[in-house]
Amino acid sequence: MNSRKKECVAMLLAGGQGTRLYSLTKDIAKPAVSFGGKYRIIDFPLSNCINSGIDTIGVLTQYQPFALNQYIGNGQPWDLDRLSGGVFVLPPYMKSKNSDWYKGTANAIYQNIAFIDKFSPEYVLVLSGDHIYKMDYADMLSEHKRRGADCTIAVIDVSIEEASRFGIMNTKEDGEIYEFEEKPKKPKSTNASMGIYVFNWDKLRKYLIADEADTKSSNDFGKNIIPDMLADGQKLYAYKFSGYWKDVGTINSLWEANMDLLDENSGLNLADNGWKIYARNTAEPPHYTGRDAVISNSLITEGCEIDGDVVNSVISTGAEVCKGASVSHSIVMPGAKVCEGASVAYAIIGAGAVIGSGARVGKEQSDKDGCYDISVVAPAYVVKDGGIVDAGEMVE
C-alpha cells in the first residue's frame, strides 16, 4: 500500500500573468497581488483547501514566480508544512527531450502527472489562484461521489447580461451537464463555470494524455477536456455555489472586491472564525493612529501610520497617510505613502508608491451604476509634489 496515498489532491493554477491588472502585475504573478490589507489573492484557495481537509496541494507557477514562491515557502501559515502531503510549488521544468512552458490549463496538469501519481489519489481538484471566495471543497467532493460523476464543475448563477462573459453549463433538472458553451452570444442558462473542477483521476489522466497528443488542441479544460468528456458521454455534473465569489482579474473587480470587505451585506466576511483565511504575516508593530487622524469604515493593517483622513478605504501593511492627507474609497497597498496635503480618491496605490505633498490622485465620484473610473499608481512609482493623476488614469 502506498503510505503517501491521498484521497484527493488539489492542483492550484497560479501562473497567470494578469495582464488586465497592468502595472500591478508587472513584477509579480496575479495570485501574489495584495488584497484586503494583509492578504494575497492566493490565500483564499489555499485557506479553502486546508479548511476543507485537503492537505496536499500542487501550486503551478509560471509568470514572475519569485514573489509567489517566497510567499508560499514551506506552507506553514496554512498548516501545510507536513511530512505527508503539504504544499508543493511546481514550475515548468526541463525534461530530457524538450522544455515547455505551460501551454494551457490542461497542459499544466499534464506536465505534473508524475507528481499526482505519487499520491495515488482517487480524485483531483483543479483550482484557479486568482479568485476571492470561501468554499468548502469537501461538500463538492461529497456531491461528486454521491452522483457517481466523472467530473463535477462548480457553477455560480450570474445575470443573463453577464452570462456571455463566462463558460456556461447547460444542465438537466438533476444537475447533469449536457452542453458546455464558451462565452456564448445567446446563453441558454446562467450557470457560469467558476473554473473549479473535481475529476476522477484515472479518467482525467487518460484525457490529459489524449489531449496532449492532439496537435490541434489548445490544451485547455474549458475548450478541450470538458467538451471531449461530454462528447464521449462521461457523467458531468454542475455543483451550484451560492456564496460570495469574484474573479479579481481586472482593476475594477480588484477594487470592488476590496470595497466589498467594507460592506457588511456583501457576504465577504474575514472575521468569520469558522472559516479563517490564513496568510503569511510580517512582524510589523501595531498600527498607529495620530491625534488628528479621522478614520471611518476602513481597514487599517499592522505597521500603518495614520495622521490624516481615511474613509471607506483599505490601508495595507506598513502604509502611511500623513498629516493633512486624505484617502477615500481607495486601496493603499503595502509600504505606500500618501504625503502631507495629498488627496487620493477612488484609486489603487501600488506597493511602495509615494504620493507627493499636495498631489491629487483620482477624484470623488457618485454611483454610476456601480461603474467607477479607478486611478492606478504603479508599485514604487513616485507622484511628484503637486502632481495630478486624473480619474481612471494609470501611471507607471
Side-chain angles (χ1 to χ4, degrees):
M1 181 179 174
N2 183 356
S3 61
R4 301 181 71 184
K5 181 175 174 60
K6 297 286 182 179
E7 181 187 33
C8 183
V9 169
M11 299 297 280
L12 178 51
L13 300 165
Q17 185 172 350
T19 53
R20 292 179 300 161
L21 289 177
Y22 302 99
S23 60
L24 297 180
T25 50
K26 184 178 179 181
D27 297 314
I28 59 172
K30 183 164 52 170
V33 169
S34 174
F35 180 82
K38 62 181 292 182
Y39 304 94
R40 307 284 183 108
I41 295 170
I42 200 170
D43 288 329
F44 286 79
L46 285 177
S47 298
N48 287 339
C49 282
I50 200 64
N51 288 335
S52 300
I54 297 171
D55 64 7
T56 305
I57 307 167
V59 180
L60 283 61
T61 62
Q62 180 156 288
Y63 172 79
Q64 295 284 13
F66 178 74
L68 196 59
N69 297 355
Q70 184 181 44
Y71 183 73
I72 293 171
N74 67 354
Q76 180 270 330
W78 307 272
D79 191 27
L80 289 167
D81 52 336
R82 296 171 176 238
L83 293 175
S84 175
V87 64
F88 303 82
V89 176
L90 304 170
Y93 58 91
M94 291 288 290
K95 295 175 280 294
S96 57
K97 292 183 180 178
N98 57 11
S99 177
D100 273 327
W101 288 105
Y102 293 144
K103 294 179 288 185
T105 52
N107 174 259
I109 306 297
Y110 169 83
Q111 287 201 36
N112 289 285
I113 284 176
F115 166 79
I116 299 171
D117 280 344
K118 287 180 182 178
F119 299 98
S120 304
E122 292 178 60
Y123 309 102
V124 168
L125 172 68
V126 179
L127 304 169
S128 172
D130 49 13
H131 299 154
I132 300 297
Y133 66 110
K134 295 180 180 182
M135 182 177 180
D136 190 342
Y137 303 135
D139 281 352
M140 184 176 174
L141 180 58
S142 178
E143 277 292 286
H144 177 86
K145 291 189 282 189
R146 184 183 68 80
R147 288 166 158 169
D150 296 305
C151 170
T152 298
I153 302 171
V155 299
I156 193 162
D157 190 43
V158 297
S159 68
I160 195 70
E161 293 78 19
E162 287 182 293
S164 58
R165 293 175 36 226
F166 293 91
I168 295 297
M169 303 292 160
N170 298 322
T171 66
K172 300 175 184 176
E173 285 189 11
D174 65 351
E176 184 175 0
I177 299 166
Y178 66 86
E179 185 181 29
F180 170 69
E181 297 180 288
E182 181 68 34
K183 298 181 180 178
K185 291 181 179 178
K186 294 183 178 180
K188 298 173 187 174
S189 80
T190 55
N191 290 326
S193 171
M194 298 167 65
I196 300 169
Y197 311 98
V198 173
F199 291 96
N200 294 345
W201 174 233
D202 59 346
K203 197 67 65 80
L204 175 61
R205 195 179 190 280
K206 293 174 184 176
Y207 276 90
L208 290 173
I209 292 169
D211 179 70
E212 189 65 21
D214 181 359
T215 56
K216 296 179 181 178
S217 175
S218 300
N219 305 123
D220 184 83
F221 278 104
K223 294 176 183 175
N224 305 107
I225 301 295
I226 302 304
D228 287 352
M229 291 184 76
L230 277 173
D232 289 349
Q234 303 295 336
K235 294 178 72 175
L236 280 72
Y237 283 87
Y239 174 80
K240 290 206 170 188
F241 178 71
S242 58
Y244 182 96
W245 178 83
K246 191 177 283 287
D247 180 343
V248 288
T250 66
I251 293 296
N252 277 72
S253 62
L254 178 64
W255 178 84
E256 287 167 6
N258 274 273
M259 294 301 106
D260 285 342
L261 292 170
L262 307 175
D263 179 359
E264 61 183 17
N265 298 315
S266 72
L268 182 58
N269 176 18
L270 296 180
D272 178 7
N273 287 326
W275 199 270
K276 282 192 175 182
I277 301 300
Y278 301 95
R280 184 174 295 283
N281 292 329
T282 53
E284 294 282 349
H287 76 260
Y288 169 78
T289 303
R291 65 183 63 193
D292 296 323
V294 177
I295 300 172
S296 172
N297 194 45
S298 298
L299 295 179
I300 313 295
T301 317
E302 299 102 323
C304 291
E305 294 185 20
I306 311 296
D307 286 293
D309 295 353
V310 177
V311 179
N312 295 320
S313 294
V314 175
I315 313 297
S316 307
T317 308
E320 187 175 354
V321 179
C322 298
K323 191 172 183 178
S326 66
V327 177
S328 168
H329 296 86
S330 295
I331 307 161
V332 179
M333 289 190 167
K337 182 177 182 179
V338 182
C339 296
E340 290 188 16
S343 68
V344 174
Y346 289 84
I348 300 176
I349 309 302
V354 176
I355 311 303
S357 298
R360 176 175 66 77
V361 177
K363 67 176 184 179
E364 293 292 340
Q365 298 170 47
S366 58
D367 188 348
K368 299 182 294 184
D369 296 324
C371 186
Y372 299 95
D373 297 319
I374 305 303
S375 306
V376 179
V377 175
Y381 186 90
V382 177
V383 177
K384 65 183 181 181
D385 292 354
I388 295 176
V389 180
D390 287 331
E393 184 181 356
M394 185 178 302
V395 292
E396 57 182 320

